[in-house]
Amino acid sequence: MSAGVSVSSMSTYAILGCGSVGHAVAEELADEGKDVLILDKDESRVESLRDQDLNAQTTDISEPELAEVVADRDVVLILSSDVEANKAAVSTMRDRGDDKFIVVRASDPVSEDELTQLGADVVINPSEVIADSALRSVESGELEYKARQLADILRETDHGLAILTHDNPDPDSLASAIALQAIAREYDIEADILYSGDMGHQENRAFVNILGIELTPRSDAKPLEEYGAVALVDHMKSGMPDLGEAEITVFIDHFEPDEGIDARFTDIRPNVSSTSTILTKYIQEFDLSPSKAVATALLYGIRAETLDFKRDTTPADLTAAAYLYPFADHDTLEKVESPSMSPETLDVLAEAIQNRDVQGSHLVSNAGFIRDRDALTQAAQHLLNLEGITTTAVFGIADDTIYLAARSKDIRMNIGKILSDAFTGIGEAGGHSTQGSVEIPLGIFTGIETNDDNRDTLLQLTEEAVKRKLFQAMGVESGESGNGS
């Protein structure tokens, strides 16, 4: 195709082979006022097309004379069901040196490759197009059905809704919670967002403070059984919570749980990269215009979970982000993404850099005694940026507990499973393919109570035990210590 010519500016078309597919395309183009020439070797079909006031003529598209017939056409759509004739038509035009935009029909993946090699610009396999269309219809219908189910539950709910984020909630979990809260309010339901753990990460604190998100620690909330319904959103990162006497009413996540979930309503979609994407689809399905705060939160949740669309991003994530973009407050997003680093986080990062032990592409580091355990998460993420490093794990000691945070960009590794395998029976591990965390009672490794006199001894015993287990679980032996320099 000649430089400077785009499909939208082309005005003359040829359709080669006018069965059901070709006829549908011809009618659509003719309705748009396009100059369309139809070629088919079936004389009776050509006569029928002429009776419909379509420009058609009898031509065998597999013959060399074809090139002259379509010489004045800009776009050639070869839509015959005879793939061998289609190949001949492509070859005829490309051998002549015609610089046309050629769209051609294939029958299977093999013929797709062959037609591409012959010089077709676009190759279409009708069975794949039909399958894609069917899947989109199924997905759309399923979402509509799910939305009706969720709406029915919300209509029946009295005494409020408890929405549980995962422990130490991140932007995806928080954004999903406030989106579900916004949907619940459309049904006049007061929803409390509850969390366990800490809000230590400075970006997460900025996220909550700037957007004015109201959160309640589980310890300060009324018992879950006193709520009319309980929803878990994006919870699998920290495993199943202790619900007491309460039951799960709503469960929404983009990670598959290890065991079946007993809930009235479940929507689990491992084919998307964030729970924020799922909740955005519900916002659309309920025909709600998201508030600036909700749109900003959801957009940030998607961006955070996909590392700004650089990790495991799906088309659904991108379309959800595109929908949210005009509703979001981008000045607020910038403030959330660029908060100041706390002195504690800086100290932990410095300690982790200094104490790093690198085996191959795996890095494990001891950050020592810490006050802010969420700083470990940030250190693990920062260290993942070091050249040649694909997996990081940073651990520290606080309150007689060993806390560990891990991150991985190695597609062959599920870091959450590795941590679970390494520390089963001695600590609580959770996570997924790219991130994970562990909490281990200090006495498991040492049997010694912490005091000022034995801090260094505890640190050394802990470091040896944790590193050995981690490197073994990652498939490398911890040998001569190296700092990756």
Side-chain angles (χ1 to χ4, degrees), residues 304-443:
E305 201 68 5
T306 61
L307 291 183
D308 223 0
F309 309 112
K310 295 190 289 286
R311 176 183 70 189
D312 300 333
T313 308
T314 70
D317 302 314
L318 293 172
T319 55
Y323 167 76
L324 295 165
Y325 190 87
F327 296 103
D329 185 332
H330 298 280
D331 290 337
T332 296
L333 273 176
E334 186 174 351
K335 292 176 184 175
V336 171
E337 291 170 339
S338 306
S340 58
M341 183 178 286
S342 69
E344 166 69 4
T345 300
L346 195 59
D347 289 342
V348 169
L349 179 58
E351 194 75 14
I353 293 171
Q354 179 66 31
N355 296 332
R356 67 191 186 278
D357 185 350
V358 177
Q359 304 293 331
S361 63
H362 308 305
L363 181 153
V364 178
S365 187
N366 184 358
F369 289 87
I370 60 172
R371 294 186 300 276
D372 178 7
R373 68 187 191 186
D374 201 62
L376 298 172
T377 301
Q378 297 169 73
Q381 187 63 55
H382 279 292
L383 290 172
L384 199 59
N385 295 322
L386 291 177
E387 184 177 356
I389 299 300
T390 62
T391 306
T392 63
V394 182
F395 60 92
I397 299 173
D399 302 325
D400 296 330
T401 301
I402 303 165
Y403 295 99
L404 181 147
R407 292 290 184 271
S408 179
K409 57 186 178 184
D410 187 341
I411 60 174
R412 301 165 300 175
M413 176 183 292
N414 185 319
I415 191 63
K417 186 176 186 307
I418 283 175
L419 295 180
S420 180
D421 292 344
F423 298 103
T424 294
I426 61 174
E428 295 183 8
H432 53 85
S433 60
T434 60
Q435 64 185 54
S437 61
V438 184
E439 295 182 17
I440 309 165
L442 187 58

Side-chain angles (χ1 to χ4, degrees), residues 16 21 77-87 90 102-118 120 122-130:
L16 281 53
V21 175
L77 298 101
I78 309 172
L79 302 177
S80 163
S81 58
D82 184 345
V83 175
E84 292 305 317
N86 293 351
K87 291 179 188 176
V90 174
I102 299 177
V103 179
V104 62
R105 173 178 175 174
S107 59
D108 52 46
V110 174
S111 59
E112 284 184 51
D113 291 340
E114 292 172 344
L115 287 162
T116 299
Q117 291 171 5
L118 288 170
V122 176
V123 181
I124 299 170
N125 186 340
S127 60
E128 290 182 358
V129 173
I130 293 169

Side-chain angles (χ1 to χ4, degrees), residues 1-2 67 89-100 102:
M1 189 166 56
S2 59
V90 174
S91 296
T92 295
M93 286 182 284
R94 289 308 188 215
D95 290 347
R96 176 188 168 101
D98 284 351
D99 197 16
K100 302 179 183 301
I102 299 177

